[in-house]
Amino acid sequence: MMLRPGEIWYDTNGVPINAHGGGVLFHEGTYWWFGEHKIAGEEGNRAHVGVHVYASEDLIHWRDEGIALTVDDSPGSEIPTGCILERPKVIYNTRTGKFVMWFHLEPMGGGYGGARSAVAIADAPGGPYRFLHSLRQNAGVWPENLPEEWKHPLTDSEECELAALGLGGAPFPWYPKNVVFRRDFAVGQMARDMTLFVDDDGCAYHLYASENNGTLHVSLLDETFTQPAGRYIRIFPGRFHEAPAMMKWNGRYWLFTSDCTGWTPNTARLSSAPSIWGPWEEHGNPCLGSGAQIANSFESQPAFVLPVAGRRDAFIYMADRWRPGNAIDGRYVWLPVVFKHGLPVVEWRDEWELQSEWPA
Ligand code: DGJ
């Protein structure tokens, strides 16, 4: 069966799949696709239902497994109807036997200013997931790749200068590269767009757009995967990468990201490093296609890279074609990662088939 990027995809009940900004967990022969459940209209950009989960054995036929994490309007809940709950990802912890979900959480009423991460856990892949906590990560910890001279809180004059800049989340050329993480040292680092990555040695990492989106952080999770372990690095300060999606191939870590332009698609970026701790380098735009497709990344923004189980060098690049005016109509752009001149890149296909891409 053909995959048609950008068209409406239906579940096995014939209902359009509702799992945006998502990620896929492969567990004991089944793929579990988690994503933001969106409703119609602009209001759909906020959480009204929760995290939707679908299951499949072949990546084509997706069974609706319901709502894995449900918004909760009980007193004290951190995930009430109308909060912002984005880019959920789930990983499995072999030590604890728990399924651990992380997502970007913006508490009610604060726009995107909260920049928090939230964690929920479950005993089975499809859930139900129980909200555990939300946090700002790595409070009181300096990044590992930071020269000694920057390891101090902001001076009074830096604080004034920073306040005058009125930082939001959008790029600008005079973004101060070594300031925002120092401002947040005591309260913990901001995290908006995010992904999780489990390495071959079982260590798990949280990668997130921090510092008012200006800088990515790569942060090790603790043994339970529910907290930061207190080791992290900053990468690409001032480059405003969003939408991180990571894969490991040919002994390197490869990171697909976008530029930072809200819901509007922009030009994607590829970076890599020989170790997750760096050194990281940028390679440019990984999208191949027509001029417009190259410029706007097939009208989409990365969400996740899915290794296809049992196939060598087989990865699916998953991206979202957002429809912010009618959020429920957002589309999925899944394309095979192809390798050219030693780089993983993404080539447009009107339609494609897993079997022909990666014969058994
Ligand atoms: C771009 C991010 O990638 C999305 O997840 C979402 O946060 C939008 N920005 C909001 O404008």
Side-chain angles (χ1 to χ4, degrees):
M1 241 179 97
M2 291 289 181
L3 271 164
R4 297 195 172 81
E7 295 199 0
I8 296 180
W9 293 4
Y10 295 93
D11 65 18
T12 50
N13 297 323
V15 177
I17 294 176
N18 197 334
H20 308 265
V24 176
L25 167 74
F26 181 71
H27 186 74
E28 294 180 352
T30 299
Y31 295 94
W32 297 86
W33 175 4
F34 299 85
E36 305 158 30
H37 180 107
K38 304 261 196 195
I39 63 165
E42 251 181 79
E43 197 39 42
N45 297 309
R46 294 177 168 275
H48 291 263
V49 176
V51 176
H52 209 134
V53 59
Y54 296 84
S56 173
E57 278 69 45
D58 60 7
L59 293 168
I60 299 289
H61 301 92
W62 291 97
R63 292 186 300 281
D64 184 355
E65 296 281 338
I67 304 303
L69 175 72
T70 309
V71 293
D72 171 10
D73 290 317
S74 61
S77 161
E78 292 193 55
I79 49 166
T81 307
C83 70
I84 295 175
L85 189 171
E86 290 182 345
R87 297 185 175 268
K89 305 286 177 280
V90 172
I91 52 180
Y92 176 60
N93 188 307
T94 50
R95 290 184 204 91
T96 62
K98 301 281 185 206
F99 296 85
V100 186
M101 177 189 291
W102 282 66
F103 54 92
H104 167 201
L105 174 66
E106 294 294 346
M108 288 292 278
Y112 278 87
R116 299 183 73 77
S117 305
V119 185
I121 57 170
D123 296 322
Y129 284 76
R130 179 171 62 83
F131 185 89
L132 207 57
H133 52 223
S134 82
L135 50 90
R136 278 285 195 94
Q137 38 275 300
N138 294 313
V141 183
W142 291 117
E144 296 208 345
N145 59 343
L146 184 68
E148 283 302 315
E149 76 249 35
W150 290 109
K151 292 187 182 171
H152 59 88
L154 294 192
T155 61
D156 289 348
S157 69
E158 280 176 318
E159 264 186 50
C160 289
E161 281 164 32
L162 192 57
L165 285 175
L167 287 186
F172 55 95
W174 51 91
Y175 171 84
K177 291 194 179 78
N178 282 314
V179 174
V180 181
F181 71 96
R182 290 166 48 227
R183 176 198 68 191
D184 292 338
F185 178 72
V187 291
Q189 300 296 326
M190 302 174 91
R192 291 189 181 127
D193 279 12
M194 55 142 284
T195 194
L196 298 178
F197 179 77
V198 183
D199 209 342
D200 304 329
D201 61 3
C203 290
Y205 297 85
H206 181 206
L207 288 91
Y208 51 89
S210 192
E211 306 179 27
N212 288 82
N213 290 341
T215 305
L216 285 170
H217 289 187
V218 181
S219 174
L220 178 69
L221 296 182
D222 76 357
E223 292 213 330
T224 68
F225 297 174
T226 63
Q227 295 272 5
R231 285 190 66 191
Y232 73 107
I233 56 168
R234 306 170 64 227
I235 62 174
F236 307 124
R239 285 287 291 141
F240 284 81
H241 290 259
E242 278 196 318
M246 176 114 117
M247 59 180 263
K248 192 174 180 181
W249 173 75
N250 202 18
R252 288 184 81 81
Y253 297 80
W254 300 91
L255 187 61
F256 294 89
T257 53
S258 69
D259 197 347
C260 183
T261 54
W263 298 113
T264 310
N266 55 49
T267 308
R269 299 162 176 184
L270 175 72
S271 313
S272 79
S275 153
I276 202 157
W277 298 110
W280 283 90
E281 60 173 301
E282 281 196 51
H283 301 284
N285 180 0
C287 297
L288 306 178
S290 71
Q293 286 171 332
I294 292 170
N296 65 21
S297 317
F298 323 115
E299 275 181 84
S300 68
Q301 195 181 21
F304 195 70
V305 182
L306 168 62
V308 179
R311 296 281 194 283
R312 216 181 128 76
D313 300 339
F315 299 88
I316 300 176
Y317 170 87
M318 295 168 48
D320 291 284
R321 187 172 288 173
W322 305 113
R323 296 268 195 269
N326 184 24
I328 196 173
D329 194 34
R331 305 294 174 84
Y332 313 107
V333 173
W334 288 20
L335 290 163
V337 172
V338 294
F339 298 95
K340 293 204 191 273
H341 306 282
L343 296 177
V345 292
V346 188
E347 215 171 34
W348 178 255
R349 311 274 162 91
D350 290 331
E351 55 179 29
W352 63 286
E353 211 169 20
L354 286 142
Q355 278 309 326
S356 3
E357 200 65 42
W358 302 296

